[in-house]
Amino acid sequence: MADKMMTGLPEGIAEILEQRPIRLGTRASPLAMAQARMTAAALRERWGLAEEQVELSPVVASGDRITDRPLADVGGKALWTRELDWSLGGGAIDLSVHSMKDVETVRPETFLIAAMLPRADVRDVLLGATSIEALPEGARFGTSSPRRAAQIRSMRPDITTVLFRGNVATRIGKLQAGEADATLLAAAGLDRLGETLDGMVSARLDSDTWLPAPSQGAVGIEVRSDDAPMRALVGGIDHAETSICVFAERALLLALGGNCHSAVAALARMDGDTVHLRAILYSEDGADEVGGETRFTGTDADAPARLAAELLARAPATITKLFDPG
């Protein structure tokens, strides 16, 4: 094995590889596995590692087992990370791969999000119609997302929402079975799975007018905070622009005090050296909304919090009751 290792590895990694492979933790869902394979490939390419020097360690997350209730009612986003946290904290794996959209805003200090892969398409894909306007009167919209439910009701108050939980294939199957007239899926997930949606009416919604969830399309890699070799190894594949934008969106969420009941849409993009952050907060029924934006340099760490404070100051009680800024 040693003759396949590239010189220049971070200190301590060669010694680990003499004993065992790098152990990459992931949820066992098809999309999570695809993202884990992307991460493993990036590590192998960056550091010249052999196939067997990076192995995947899948776990079944609580969020994948519980699909009959809204996430907010059964534990929130922690249901996506809990099992991986146990494995990472206990030393059974060296790093965890996450869809950043599913990672709690406040993480244990023992862990560190040390890198992100290049962000994929941030847009939502509408399945069942060519546009929101084209949906029939009183259409049934399948989702478990407070953000998506509020957004669509803000545009179409006549639409009713029904619970849709499960992986991409499950939700597409529910739509095809007639459990709803339309649903939304993340473009990034469809693309990473190679899902072509053959024969299905669909449309990618413009992110300028339909903001996605914070961190949508981003894959993050987390390590133990005190694991310097793994921090350096993972840092070698970090996509700086993605990290800057996603951390800005997460800082906004932190300042808002958002939770799984909060309907928040946000997107940060780089414009040269400037971060352009936009956000909209909704009431649960979508009847009320408040939006805003800010531009700042990456060194201005307080800018997202200032935007959060401004939005909450202008928001009616139907929105502020969904947040706890502390």
Side-chain angles (χ1 to χ4, degrees), residues 22-26 57 59 81-98 107-108 110-114 221-227 230 234:
I22 304 300
R23 301 162 303 182
L24 188 157
T26 175
S57 298
V59 300
T81 58
R82 183 167 60 193
E83 284 79 7
L84 287 173
D85 287 354
W86 290 340
S87 294
L88 185 59
I93 58 176
D94 300 301
L95 55 100
S96 300
V97 178
H98 300 292
R107 296 290 290 142
T110 52
F111 303 138
L112 175 72
I113 299 168
I221 303 101
E222 193 167 44
V223 300
R224 291 181 293 276
S225 300
D226 61 358
D227 192 341
M230 289 300 161
V234 169

PDB file of all heavy atoms in Angstrom, residues 22-26 57 59 81-98 107-108 110-114 221-227 230 234:
ATOM      1  N   ILE A  22      -8.628   5.505   5.330  1.00  0.00           N
ATOM      2  CA  ILE A  22      -9.408   6.627   5.837  1.00  0.00           C
ATOM      3  C   ILE A  22     -10.873   6.196   5.824  1.00  0.00           C
ATOM      4  O   ILE A  22     -11.397   5.745   4.799  1.00  0.00           O
ATOM      5  CB  ILE A  22      -9.218   7.882   4.961  1.00  0.00           C
ATOM      6  CG1 ILE A  22      -7.735   8.254   4.851  1.00  0.00           C
ATOM      7  CG2 ILE A  22     -10.044   9.044   5.505  1.00  0.00           C
ATOM      8  CD1 ILE A  22      -7.066   8.557   6.156  1.00  0.00           C
ATOM      9  N   ARG A  23     -11.561   6.368   6.948  1.00  0.00           N
ATOM     10  CA  ARG A  23     -12.935   5.892   7.078  1.00  0.00           C
ATOM     11  C   ARG A  23     -13.902   7.068   6.971  1.00  0.00           C
ATOM     12  O   ARG A  23     -13.909   7.969   7.802  1.00  0.00           O
ATOM     13  CB  ARG A  23     -13.105   5.169   8.413  1.00  0.00           C
ATOM     14  CG  ARG A  23     -12.156   3.973   8.574  1.00  0.00           C
ATOM     15  CD  ARG A  23     -12.027   3.558  10.014  1.00  0.00           C
ATOM     16  NE  ARG A  23     -11.578   4.663  10.866  1.00  0.00           N
ATOM     17  CZ  ARG A  23     -11.353   4.552  12.174  1.00  0.00           C
ATOM     18  NH1 ARG A  23     -11.530   3.397  12.768  1.00  0.00           N
ATOM     19  NH2 ARG A  23     -10.963   5.606  12.875  1.00  0.00           N
ATOM     20  N   LEU A  24     -14.704   7.031   5.924  1.00  0.00           N
ATOM     21  CA  LEU A  24     -15.590   8.135   5.582  1.00  0.00           C
ATOM     22  C   LEU A  24     -17.021   7.744   5.927  1.00  0.00           C
ATOM     23  O   LEU A  24     -17.581   6.821   5.341  1.00  0.00           O
ATOM     24  CB  LEU A  24     -15.434   8.429   4.086  1.00  0.00           C
ATOM     25  CG  LEU A  24     -16.090   9.654   3.474  1.00  0.00           C
ATOM     26  CD1 LEU A  24     -15.353  10.034   2.194  1.00  0.00           C
ATOM     27  CD2 LEU A  24     -17.554   9.409   3.169  1.00  0.00           C
ATOM     28  N   GLY A  25     -17.623   8.435   6.897  1.00  0.00           N
ATOM     29  CA  GLY A  25     -18.974   8.124   7.337  1.00  0.00           C
ATOM     30  C   GLY A  25     -20.021   8.830   6.500  1.00  0.00           C
ATOM     31  O   GLY A  25     -19.847   9.986   6.099  1.00  0.00           O
ATOM     32  N   THR A  26     -21.116   8.138   6.248  1.00  0.00           N
ATOM     33  CA  THR A  26     -22.192   8.702   5.447  1.00  0.00           C
ATOM     34  C   THR A  26     -23.506   8.043   5.806  1.00  0.00           C
ATOM     35  O   THR A  26     -23.534   6.900   6.293  1.00  0.00           O
ATOM     36  CB  THR A  26     -21.920   8.495   3.942  1.00  0.00           C
ATOM     37  OG1 THR A  26     -23.054   8.947   3.184  1.00  0.00           O
ATOM     38  CG2 THR A  26     -21.690   7.024   3.614  1.00  0.00           C
ATOM     39  N   SER A  57     -18.249   4.167   5.163  1.00  0.00           N
ATOM     40  CA  SER A  57     -18.883   3.504   6.305  1.00  0.00           C
ATOM     41  C   SER A  57     -20.304   4.034   6.444  1.00  0.00           C
ATOM     42  O   SER A  57     -20.546   5.021   7.149  1.00  0.00           O
ATOM     43  CB  SER A  57     -18.089   3.768   7.592  1.00  0.00           C
ATOM     44  OG  SER A  57     -16.787   3.236   7.508  1.00  0.00           O
ATOM     45  N   VAL A  59     -24.250   4.461   7.516  1.00  0.00           N
ATOM     46  CA  VAL A  59     -25.143   4.196   8.641  1.00  0.00           C
ATOM     47  C   VAL A  59     -26.556   4.594   8.228  1.00  0.00           C
ATOM     48  O   VAL A  59     -26.740   5.461   7.366  1.00  0.00           O
ATOM     49  CB  VAL A  59     -24.736   4.985   9.911  1.00  0.00           C
ATOM     50  CG1 VAL A  59     -23.336   4.632  10.351  1.00  0.00           C
ATOM     51  CG2 VAL A  59     -24.879   6.493   9.691  1.00  0.00           C
ATOM     52  N   THR A  81     -28.030  13.655  11.563  1.00  0.00           N
ATOM     53  CA  THR A  81     -26.611  13.664  11.950  1.00  0.00           C
ATOM     54  C   THR A  81     -26.293  12.796  13.163  1.00  0.00           C
ATOM     55  O   THR A  81     -25.127  12.494  13.404  1.00  0.00           O
ATOM     56  CB  THR A  81     -26.165  15.108  12.263  1.00  0.00           C
ATOM     57  OG1 THR A  81     -26.985  15.648  13.315  1.00  0.00           O
ATOM     58  CG2 THR A  81     -26.284  15.998  11.033  1.00  0.00           C
ATOM     59  N   ARG A  82     -27.282  12.390  13.921  1.00  0.00           N
ATOM     60  CA  ARG A  82     -27.043  11.764  15.222  1.00  0.00           C
ATOM     61  C   ARG A  82     -26.163  10.515  15.138  1.00  0.00           C
ATOM     62  O   ARG A  82     -25.167  10.384  15.862  1.00  0.00           O
ATOM     63  CB  ARG A  82     -28.379  11.420  15.882  1.00  0.00           C
ATOM     64  CG  ARG A  82     -28.249  10.825  17.276  1.00  0.00           C
ATOM     65  CD  ARG A  82     -29.600  10.815  17.968  1.00  0.00           C
ATOM     66  NE  ARG A  82     -30.585  10.028  17.230  1.00  0.00           N
ATOM     67  CZ  ARG A  82     -31.898  10.068  17.488  1.00  0.00           C
ATOM     68  NH1 ARG A  82     -32.358  10.887  18.426  1.00  0.00           N
ATOM     69  NH2 ARG A  82     -32.735   9.326  16.803  1.00  0.00           N
ATOM     70  N   GLU A  83     -26.519   9.592  14.265  1.00  0.00           N
ATOM     71  CA  GLU A  83     -25.757   8.346  14.172  1.00  0.00           C
ATOM     72  C   GLU A  83     -24.338   8.599  13.687  1.00  0.00           C
ATOM     73  O   GLU A  83     -23.374   7.974  14.163  1.00  0.00           O
ATOM     74  CB  GLU A  83     -26.461   7.351  13.252  1.00  0.00           C
ATOM     75  CG  GLU A  83     -27.676   6.679  13.874  1.00  0.00           C
ATOM     76  CD  GLU A  83     -28.930   7.547  13.877  1.00  0.00           C
ATOM     77  OE1 GLU A  83     -28.897   8.638  13.260  1.00  0.00           O
ATOM     78  OE2 GLU A  83     -29.941   7.158  14.473  1.00  0.00           O
ATOM     79  N   LEU A  84     -24.174   9.522  12.745  1.00  0.00           N
ATOM     80  CA  LEU A  84     -22.830   9.853  12.284  1.00  0.00           C
ATOM     81  C   LEU A  84     -22.026  10.523  13.394  1.00  0.00           C
ATOM     82  O   LEU A  84     -20.818  10.286  13.521  1.00  0.00           O
ATOM     83  CB  LEU A  84     -22.898  10.759  11.048  1.00  0.00           C
ATOM     84  CG  LEU A  84     -23.346  10.065   9.758  1.00  0.00           C
ATOM     85  CD1 LEU A  84     -23.541  11.094   8.650  1.00  0.00           C
ATOM     86  CD2 LEU A  84     -22.339   9.017   9.325  1.00  0.00           C
ATOM     87  N   ASP A  85     -22.674  11.349  14.193  1.00  0.00           N
ATOM     88  CA  ASP A  85     -21.987  11.985  15.316  1.00  0.00           C
ATOM     89  C   ASP A  85     -21.479  10.937  16.312  1.00  0.00           C
ATOM     90  O   ASP A  85     -20.366  11.053  16.838  1.00  0.00           O
ATOM     91  CB  ASP A  85     -22.917  12.967  16.029  1.00  0.00           C
ATOM     92  CG  ASP A  85     -23.165  14.235  15.236  1.00  0.00           C
ATOM     93  OD1 ASP A  85     -22.534  14.411  14.178  1.00  0.00           O
ATOM     94  OD2 ASP A  85     -23.998  15.049  15.668  1.00  0.00           O
ATOM     95  N   TRP A  86     -22.289   9.926  16.578  1.00  0.00           N
ATOM     96  CA  TRP A  86     -21.857   8.867  17.484  1.00  0.00           C
ATOM     97  C   TRP A  86     -20.613   8.173  16.926  1.00  0.00           C
ATOM     98  O   TRP A  86     -19.652   7.910  17.652  1.00  0.00           O
ATOM     99  CB  TRP A  86     -22.965   7.844  17.671  1.00  0.00           C
ATOM    100  CG  TRP A  86     -24.148   8.339  18.451  1.00  0.00           C
ATOM    101  CD1 TRP A  86     -24.177   9.413  19.302  1.00  0.00           C
ATOM    102  CD2 TRP A  86     -25.467   7.796  18.440  1.00  0.00           C
ATOM    103  NE1 TRP A  86     -25.437   9.579  19.818  1.00  0.00           N
ATOM    104  CE2 TRP A  86     -26.253   8.598  19.320  1.00  0.00           C
ATOM    105  CE3 TRP A  86     -26.073   6.723  17.802  1.00  0.00           C
ATOM    106  CZ2 TRP A  86     -27.611   8.331  19.552  1.00  0.00           C
ATOM    107  CZ3 TRP A  86     -27.417   6.463  18.033  1.00  0.00           C
ATOM    108  CH2 TRP A  86     -28.163   7.255  18.892  1.00  0.00           C
ATOM    109  N   SER A  87     -20.635   7.881  15.636  1.00  0.00           N
ATOM    110  CA  SER A  87     -19.505   7.175  15.026  1.00  0.00           C
ATOM    111  C   SER A  87     -18.257   8.042  14.996  1.00  0.00           C
ATOM    112  O   SER A  87     -17.151   7.576  15.293  1.00  0.00           O
ATOM    113  CB  SER A  87     -19.869   6.728  13.610  1.00  0.00           C
ATOM    114  OG  SER A  87     -20.889   5.756  13.622  1.00  0.00           O
ATOM    115  N   LEU A  88     -18.436   9.321  14.648  1.00  0.00           N
ATOM    116  CA  LEU A  88     -17.286  10.224  14.559  1.00  0.00           C
ATOM    117  C   LEU A  88     -16.720  10.501  15.953  1.00  0.00           C
ATOM    118  O   LEU A  88     -15.503  10.424  16.168  1.00  0.00           O
ATOM    119  CB  LEU A  88     -17.699  11.530  13.877  1.00  0.00           C
ATOM    120  CG  LEU A  88     -16.585  12.537  13.598  1.00  0.00           C
ATOM    121  CD1 LEU A  88     -15.503  11.937  12.707  1.00  0.00           C
ATOM    122  CD2 LEU A  88     -17.148  13.806  12.956  1.00  0.00           C
ATOM    123  N   GLY A  89     -17.581  10.805  16.896  1.00  0.00           N
ATOM    124  CA  GLY A  89     -17.118  11.091  18.246  1.00  0.00           C
ATOM    125  C   GLY A  89     -16.463   9.898  18.911  1.00  0.00           C
ATOM    126  O   GLY A  89     -15.527  10.055  19.701  1.00  0.00           O
ATOM    127  N   GLY A  90     -16.927   8.695  18.569  1.00  0.00           N
ATOM    128  CA  GLY A  90     -16.363   7.495  19.152  1.00  0.00           C
ATOM    129  C   GLY A  90     -15.148   6.955  18.433  1.00  0.00           C
ATOM    130  O   GLY A  90     -14.562   5.954  18.869  1.00  0.00           O
ATOM    131  N   GLY A  91     -14.753   7.593  17.336  1.00  0.00           N
ATOM    132  CA  GLY A  91     -13.558   7.173  16.620  1.00  0.00           C
ATOM    133  C   GLY A  91     -13.764   6.040  15.634  1.00  0.00           C
ATOM    134  O   GLY A  91     -12.787   5.524  15.072  1.00  0.00           O
ATOM    135  N   ALA A  92     -15.019   5.648  15.376  1.00  0.00           N
ATOM    136  CA  ALA A  92     -15.272   4.573  14.418  1.00  0.00           C
ATOM    137  C   ALA A  92     -15.070   5.037  12.977  1.00  0.00           C
ATOM    138  O   ALA A  92     -14.819   4.219  12.085  1.00  0.00           O
ATOM    139  CB  ALA A  92     -16.686   4.026  14.598  1.00  0.00           C
ATOM    140  N   ILE A  93     -15.205   6.346  12.750  1.00  0.00           N
ATOM    141  CA  ILE A  93     -14.938   6.937  11.435  1.00  0.00           C
ATOM    142  C   ILE A  93     -14.042   8.148  11.622  1.00  0.00           C
ATOM    143  O   ILE A  93     -13.912   8.674  12.736  1.00  0.00           O
ATOM    144  CB  ILE A  93     -16.240   7.336  10.701  1.00  0.00           C
ATOM    145  CG1 ILE A  93     -17.053   8.343  11.547  1.00  0.00           C
ATOM    146  CG2 ILE A  93     -17.063   6.103  10.348  1.00  0.00           C
ATOM    147  CD1 ILE A  93     -18.299   8.864  10.854  1.00  0.00           C
ATOM    148  N   ASP A  94     -13.432   8.591  10.521  1.00  0.00           N
ATOM    149  CA  ASP A  94     -12.510   9.735  10.573  1.00  0.00           C
ATOM    150  C   ASP A  94     -13.175  11.031  10.136  1.00  0.00           C
ATOM    151  O   ASP A  94     -12.720  12.120  10.497  1.00  0.00           O
ATOM    152  CB  ASP A  94     -11.300   9.476   9.672  1.00  0.00           C
ATOM    153  CG  ASP A  94     -10.528   8.244  10.092  1.00  0.00           C
ATOM    154  OD1 ASP A  94     -10.060   8.202  11.245  1.00  0.00           O
ATOM    155  OD2 ASP A  94     -10.407   7.306   9.278  1.00  0.00           O
ATOM    156  N   LEU A  95     -14.210  10.933   9.342  1.00  0.00           N
ATOM    157  CA  LEU A  95     -14.899  12.120   8.852  1.00  0.00           C
ATOM    158  C   LEU A  95     -16.317  11.749   8.455  1.00  0.00           C
ATOM    159  O   LEU A  95     -16.623  10.587   8.181  1.00  0.00           O
ATOM    160  CB  LEU A  95     -14.149  12.754   7.680  1.00  0.00           C
ATOM    161  CG  LEU A  95     -13.833  11.855   6.488  1.00  0.00           C
ATOM    162  CD1 LEU A  95     -14.822  12.080   5.358  1.00  0.00           C
ATOM    163  CD2 LEU A  95     -12.416  12.129   5.986  1.00  0.00           C
ATOM    164  N   SER A  96     -17.201  12.749   8.456  1.00  0.00           N
ATOM    165  CA  SER A  96     -18.596  12.566   8.057  1.00  0.00           C
ATOM    166  C   SER A  96     -18.895  13.445   6.863  1.00  0.00           C
ATOM    167  O   SER A  96     -18.420  14.585   6.791  1.00  0.00           O
ATOM    168  CB  SER A  96     -19.552  12.942   9.196  1.00  0.00           C
ATOM    169  OG  SER A  96     -19.341  12.146  10.341  1.00  0.00           O
ATOM    170  N   VAL A  97     -19.701  12.927   5.960  1.00  0.00           N
ATOM    171  CA  VAL A  97     -20.139  13.695   4.797  1.00  0.00           C
ATOM    172  C   VAL A  97     -21.609  14.036   4.977  1.00  0.00           C
ATOM    173  O   VAL A  97     -22.429  13.155   5.256  1.00  0.00           O
ATOM    174  CB  VAL A  97     -19.929  12.908   3.494  1.00  0.00           C
ATOM    175  CG1 VAL A  97     -20.432  13.711   2.301  1.00  0.00           C
ATOM    176  CG2 VAL A  97     -18.450  12.576   3.308  1.00  0.00           C
ATOM    177  N   HIS A  98     -21.951  15.312   4.830  1.00  0.00           N
ATOM    178  CA  HIS A  98     -23.319  15.774   5.070  1.00  0.00           C
ATOM    179  C   HIS A  98     -23.845  16.604   3.902  1.00  0.00           C
ATOM    180  O   HIS A  98     -23.094  17.362   3.281  1.00  0.00           O
ATOM    181  CB  HIS A  98     -23.387  16.692   6.303  1.00  0.00           C
ATOM    182  CG  HIS A  98     -22.953  16.071   7.584  1.00  0.00           C
ATOM    183  ND1 HIS A  98     -23.653  15.061   8.199  1.00  0.00           N
ATOM    184  CD2 HIS A  98     -21.889  16.353   8.389  1.00  0.00           C
ATOM    185  CE1 HIS A  98     -23.047  14.737   9.333  1.00  0.00           C
ATOM    186  NE2 HIS A  98     -21.978  15.501   9.470  1.00  0.00           N
ATOM    187  N   ARG A 107     -23.591  23.154  16.059  1.00  0.00           N
ATOM    188  CA  ARG A 107     -22.996  21.824  16.112  1.00  0.00           C
ATOM    189  C   ARG A 107     -22.155  21.686  17.383  1.00  0.00           C
ATOM    190  O   ARG A 107     -21.686  22.676  17.938  1.00  0.00           O
ATOM    191  CB  ARG A 107     -22.106  21.594  14.881  1.00  0.00           C
ATOM    192  CG  ARG A 107     -22.865  21.596  13.566  1.00  0.00           C
ATOM    193  CD  ARG A 107     -23.733  20.372  13.429  1.00  0.00           C
ATOM    194  NE  ARG A 107     -22.926  19.164  13.240  1.00  0.00           N
ATOM    195  CZ  ARG A 107     -23.237  17.988  13.791  1.00  0.00           C
ATOM    196  NH1 ARG A 107     -24.284  17.857  14.572  1.00  0.00           N
ATOM    197  NH2 ARG A 107     -22.473  16.928  13.560  1.00  0.00           N
ATOM    198  N   PRO A 108     -21.942  20.460  17.852  1.00  0.00           N
ATOM    199  CA  PRO A 108     -21.082  20.271  19.026  1.00  0.00           C
ATOM    200  C   PRO A 108     -19.675  20.810  18.769  1.00  0.00           C
ATOM    201  O   PRO A 108     -19.150  20.702  17.650  1.00  0.00           O
ATOM    202  CB  PRO A 108     -21.054  18.744  19.187  1.00  0.00           C
ATOM    203  CG  PRO A 108     -22.299  18.262  18.523  1.00  0.00           C
ATOM    204  CD  PRO A 108     -22.522  19.197  17.371  1.00  0.00           C
ATOM    205  N   THR A 110     -17.010  19.665  19.594  1.00  0.00           N
ATOM    206  CA  THR A 110     -16.054  18.580  19.329  1.00  0.00           C
ATOM    207  C   THR A 110     -15.910  18.285  17.847  1.00  0.00           C
ATOM    208  O   THR A 110     -14.989  17.580  17.446  1.00  0.00           O
ATOM    209  CB  THR A 110     -16.499  17.294  20.050  1.00  0.00           C
ATOM    210  OG1 THR A 110     -17.874  17.025  19.715  1.00  0.00           O
ATOM    211  CG2 THR A 110     -16.355  17.443  21.552  1.00  0.00           C
ATOM    212  N   PHE A 111     -16.801  18.849  17.020  1.00  0.00           N
ATOM    213  CA  PHE A 111     -16.754  18.623  15.578  1.00  0.00           C
ATOM    214  C   PHE A 111     -16.496  19.924  14.838  1.00  0.00           C
ATOM    215  O   PHE A 111     -16.797  21.009  15.324  1.00  0.00           O
ATOM    216  CB  PHE A 111     -18.068  18.015  15.076  1.00  0.00           C
ATOM    217  CG  PHE A 111     -18.440  16.721  15.747  1.00  0.00           C
ATOM    218  CD1 PHE A 111     -19.759  16.483  16.127  1.00  0.00           C
ATOM    219  CD2 PHE A 111     -17.501  15.747  16.012  1.00  0.00           C
ATOM    220  CE1 PHE A 111     -20.122  15.300  16.748  1.00  0.00           C
ATOM    221  CE2 PHE A 111     -17.836  14.552  16.628  1.00  0.00           C
ATOM    222  CZ  PHE A 111     -19.154  14.334  16.996  1.00  0.00           C
ATOM    223  N   LEU A 112     -15.962  19.787  13.619  1.00  0.00           N
ATOM    224  CA  LEU A 112     -15.663  20.954  12.787  1.00  0.00           C
ATOM    225  C   LEU A 112     -15.986  20.644  11.337  1.00  0.00           C
ATOM    226  O   LEU A 112     -15.530  19.617  10.799  1.00  0.00           O
ATOM    227  CB  LEU A 112     -14.170  21.311  12.901  1.00  0.00           C
ATOM    228  CG  LEU A 112     -13.677  22.442  11.981  1.00  0.00           C
ATOM    229  CD1 LEU A 112     -14.217  23.791  12.472  1.00  0.00           C
ATOM    230  CD2 LEU A 112     -12.159  22.462  11.922  1.00  0.00           C
ATOM    231  N   ILE A 113     -16.777  21.500  10.709  1.00  0.00           N
ATOM    232  CA  ILE A 113     -17.002  21.397   9.268  1.00  0.00           C
ATOM    233  C   ILE A 113     -15.766  21.975   8.595  1.00  0.00           C
ATOM    234  O   ILE A 113     -15.570  23.187   8.543  1.00  0.00           O
ATOM    235  CB  ILE A 113     -18.273  22.141   8.851  1.00  0.00           C
ATOM    236  CG1 ILE A 113     -19.494  21.529   9.545  1.00  0.00           C
ATOM    237  CG2 ILE A 113     -18.450  22.076   7.331  1.00  0.00           C
ATOM    238  CD1 ILE A 113     -20.750  22.353   9.428  1.00  0.00           C
ATOM    239  N   ALA A 114     -14.910  21.081   8.109  1.00  0.00           N
ATOM    240  CA  ALA A 114     -13.578  21.482   7.668  1.00  0.00           C
ATOM    241  C   ALA A 114     -13.472  21.737   6.181  1.00  0.00           C
ATOM    242  O   ALA A 114     -12.463  22.286   5.717  1.00  0.00           O
ATOM    243  CB  ALA A 114     -12.563  20.393   8.061  1.00  0.00           C
ATOM    244  N   ILE A 221     -17.910  18.375   4.753  1.00  0.00           N
ATOM    245  CA  ILE A 221     -17.150  17.278   5.359  1.00  0.00           C
ATOM    246  C   ILE A 221     -16.754  17.705   6.759  1.00  0.00           C
ATOM    247  O   ILE A 221     -16.141  18.757   6.958  1.00  0.00           O
ATOM    248  CB  ILE A 221     -15.910  16.913   4.532  1.00  0.00           C
ATOM    249  CG1 ILE A 221     -16.308  16.537   3.103  1.00  0.00           C
ATOM    250  CG2 ILE A 221     -15.176  15.738   5.164  1.00  0.00           C
ATOM    251  CD1 ILE A 221     -16.086  17.611   2.085  1.00  0.00           C
ATOM    252  N   GLU A 222     -17.113  16.880   7.731  1.00  0.00           N
ATOM    253  CA  GLU A 222     -16.899  17.209   9.138  1.00  0.00           C
ATOM    254  C   GLU A 222     -15.897  16.237   9.761  1.00  0.00           C
ATOM    255  O   GLU A 222     -15.900  15.041   9.451  1.00  0.00           O
ATOM    256  CB  GLU A 222     -18.234  17.131   9.880  1.00  0.00           C
ATOM    257  CG  GLU A 222     -18.240  17.742  11.258  1.00  0.00           C
ATOM    258  CD  GLU A 222     -19.650  17.897  11.790  1.00  0.00           C
ATOM    259  OE1 GLU A 222     -20.459  16.958  11.655  1.00  0.00           O
ATOM    260  OE2 GLU A 222     -19.960  18.960  12.345  1.00  0.00           O
ATOM    261  N   VAL A 223     -15.054  16.775  10.633  1.00  0.00           N
ATOM    262  CA  VAL A 223     -14.045  15.973  11.326  1.00  0.00           C
ATOM    263  C   VAL A 223     -14.095  16.313  12.811  1.00  0.00           C
ATOM    264  O   VAL A 223     -14.775  17.241  13.229  1.00  0.00           O
ATOM    265  CB  VAL A 223     -12.631  16.252  10.776  1.00  0.00           C
ATOM    266  CG1 VAL A 223     -12.535  15.936   9.296  1.00  0.00           C
ATOM    267  CG2 VAL A 223     -12.216  17.709  11.031  1.00  0.00           C
ATOM    268  N   ARG A 224     -13.364  15.557  13.621  1.00  0.00           N
ATOM    269  CA  ARG A 224     -13.213  15.930  15.025  1.00  0.00           C
ATOM    270  C   ARG A 224     -12.329  17.165  15.111  1.00  0.00           C
ATOM    271  O   ARG A 224     -11.297  17.261  14.436  1.00  0.00           O
ATOM    272  CB  ARG A 224     -12.617  14.768  15.826  1.00  0.00           C
ATOM    273  CG  ARG A 224     -13.551  13.577  15.985  1.00  0.00           C
ATOM    274  CD  ARG A 224     -12.921  12.460  16.807  1.00  0.00           C
ATOM    275  NE  ARG A 224     -11.785  11.853  16.091  1.00  0.00           N
ATOM    276  CZ  ARG A 224     -11.916  10.889  15.180  1.00  0.00           C
ATOM    277  NH1 ARG A 224     -13.111  10.432  14.842  1.00  0.00           N
ATOM    278  NH2 ARG A 224     -10.842  10.392  14.584  1.00  0.00           N
ATOM    279  N   SER A 225     -12.709  18.104  15.936  1.00  0.00           N
ATOM    280  CA  SER A 225     -12.000  19.383  16.020  1.00  0.00           C
ATOM    281  C   SER A 225     -10.537  19.219  16.385  1.00  0.00           C
ATOM    282  O   SER A 225      -9.682  19.999  15.952  1.00  0.00           O
ATOM    283  CB  SER A 225     -12.685  20.297  17.041  1.00  0.00           C
ATOM    284  OG  SER A 225     -14.014  20.560  16.680  1.00  0.00           O
ATOM    285  N   ASP A 226     -10.230  18.199  17.184  1.00  0.00           N
ATOM    286  CA  ASP A 226      -8.854  18.019  17.642  1.00  0.00           C
ATOM    287  C   ASP A 226      -8.039  17.088  16.751  1.00  0.00           C
ATOM    288  O   ASP A 226      -6.902  16.736  17.092  1.00  0.00           O
ATOM    289  CB  ASP A 226      -8.838  17.496  19.080  1.00  0.00           C
ATOM    290  CG  ASP A 226      -9.525  16.130  19.220  1.00  0.00           C
ATOM    291  OD1 ASP A 226     -10.049  15.616  18.211  1.00  0.00           O
ATOM    292  OD2 ASP A 226      -9.533  15.596  20.350  1.00  0.00           O
ATOM    293  N   ASP A 227      -8.601  16.698  15.605  1.00  0.00           N
ATOM    294  CA  ASP A 227      -7.912  15.777  14.696  1.00  0.00           C
ATOM    295  C   ASP A 227      -7.192  16.575  13.613  1.00  0.00           C
ATOM    296  O   ASP A 227      -7.698  16.763  12.500  1.00  0.00           O
ATOM    297  CB  ASP A 227      -8.915  14.808  14.076  1.00  0.00           C
ATOM    298  CG  ASP A 227      -8.246  13.654  13.344  1.00  0.00           C
ATOM    299  OD1 ASP A 227      -7.058  13.781  12.997  1.00  0.00           O
ATOM    300  OD2 ASP A 227      -8.919  12.623  13.107  1.00  0.00           O
ATOM    301  N   MET A 230      -6.621  14.958   9.983  1.00  0.00           N
ATOM    302  CA  MET A 230      -7.813  14.904   9.145  1.00  0.00           C
ATOM    303  C   MET A 230      -8.279  16.295   8.736  1.00  0.00           C
ATOM    304  O   MET A 230      -8.774  16.491   7.621  1.00  0.00           O
ATOM    305  CB  MET A 230      -8.940  14.157   9.869  1.00  0.00           C
ATOM    306  CG  MET A 230      -8.703  12.675  10.001  1.00  0.00           C
ATOM    307  SD  MET A 230      -8.531  11.853   8.378  1.00  0.00           S
ATOM    308  CE  MET A 230      -7.697  10.340   8.902  1.00  0.00           C
ATOM    309  N   VAL A 234      -8.722  16.958   4.770  1.00  0.00           N
ATOM    310  CA  VAL A 234      -9.996  17.416   4.229  1.00  0.00           C
ATOM    311  C   VAL A 234      -9.886  18.841   3.704  1.00  0.00           C
ATOM    312  O   VAL A 234     -10.476  19.192   2.678  1.00  0.00           O
ATOM    313  CB  VAL A 234     -11.096  17.295   5.312  1.00  0.00           C
ATOM    314  CG1 VAL A 234     -12.358  18.004   4.890  1.00  0.00           C
ATOM    315  CG2 VAL A 234     -11.382  15.830   5.597  1.00  0.00           C
TER     316      VAL A 234
END
